[in-house]
Amino acid sequence: MTDALRPMTRQRLYEQVLDRLRQYVTEGGLKAGDRLPPERDLAQRLGVSRASVKQAIVVLEVQGLVEARHGGGTYLVRDSLDVEPVEKMVERRRRLPDVLEAREALETKLAELAAERRTEDDLAAMRAALAHMAGEIEENGPGAEGDRLFHAAVTAAAHSSLLAEFMRSIAGQIAESRTESLRQPGRPARSLSQHQAILDAIAARQPRQAATAMRRHVRTVAKVRLLDWEPGEPGEPGEQG
């Protein structure tokens, strides 16, 4: 059956708020570190409920675009609000648990095998990846490329062509989960520390410890705000202006 004639939907009110906030930041020349107006003021100026403003702010937080400080207002993390469409967030939220489940199963085994089979060249690649990630974080980046390089190095160190093929087959989904995780406040530095623990176990040829360290890391990756976010439906209570 074709999906082309599915029922039409109306844009959620907080999505309209997101559009206005993006325009406000652009026209106002706001930069990272600048504070957005209080929710009450935004609601009054936009003619919507505070609930709709709050829902919009949560979406911005989930995407790592703003930081809401308890009792201290909402601040821009970047120089613009390039908001991902809500429907894309909904789709990613739907598939993310399966991706994280697959990552835990595959990468835990890869770490165990890497501790048994790694070479000095493998260790050198892992150390280089962590150095790259540390450099990214020092420059206030999320460390995504160093993260990718490290997990690729662990996969290579397992010397399992079939498991490596499995990892390649879900590379796009893994990249999504990586981005989602590293946008969490404080996560890049924590991931770097966890990577070091994985490397230490692999270098010491401790398969069980390597698997445990990787499992702990992937379960940390799974703790993202997106999975706690509820998109709501257009026109539902609390969405009216």
Side-chain angles (χ1 to χ4, degrees), residues 117-128 153 156-157 159:
R117 302 173 179 176
R118 60 54 170 189
T119 65
E120 290 302 317
D121 286 344
D122 292 327
L123 293 178
M126 288 180 231
R127 292 183 180 118
H159 297 279

Side-chain angles (χ1 to χ4, degrees), residues 13-14 17-18 21 37-60 238-240:
L13 187 56
Y14 69 81
V17 174
L18 287 169
L21 288 176
E39 290 179 5
R40 183 185 301 276
D41 290 354
L42 288 172
Q44 290 176 346
R45 293 168 67 176
L46 293 171
V48 299
S49 68
R50 287 189 66 179
S52 293
V53 173
K54 187 178 294 292
Q55 286 172 305
I57 296 299
V58 168
V59 170
L60 295 175
E239 277 250 298
Q240 304 304 316

Side-chain angles (χ1 to χ4, degrees), residues 21-34 36 64-66 75-82:
L21 288 176
R22 179 172 57 242
Q23 184 179 356
Y24 171 80
V25 168
T26 299
E27 294 180 357
L30 273 65
K31 301 294 183 183
D34 288 343
L36 291 177
L65 297 173
V66 302
Y75 295 80
L76 295 178
V77 173
R78 303 180 189 175
D79 294 339
S80 63
L81 292 181
D82 295 324

Side-chain angles (χ1 to χ4, degrees), residues 96 100 103-104 147 177-178 180-195 198 212-225 227:
L96 189 57
L100 294 168
R103 284 196 66 178
E104 181 173 338
D147 186 295
S177 68
R178 174 178 296 116
E180 201 65 52
S181 176
L182 292 175
R183 65 175 39 154
Q184 308 301 300
R187 184 62 58 79
R190 186 175 182 185
S191 285
L192 180 62
S193 176
Q194 291 179 337
H195 287 165
I198 295 166
T212 297
M214 180 63 82
R215 182 176 295 107
R216 183 179 300 116
H217 172 57
V218 177
R219 289 182 178 178
T220 296
V221 170
K223 296 175 182 176
V224 294
R225 287 206 62 184
L227 295 179

Side-chain angles (χ1 to χ4, degrees), residues 98-104 106-107 163-178:
D98 286 343
V99 175
L100 294 168
E101 184 177 74
R103 284 196 66 178
E104 181 173 338
L106 290 171
E107 297 198 67
L163 287 178
E165 180 60 32
F166 287 155
M167 290 295 289
R168 282 191 292 272
S169 72
I170 60 171
Q173 294 96 318
I174 288 176
E176 278 189 351
S177 68
R178 174 178 296 116

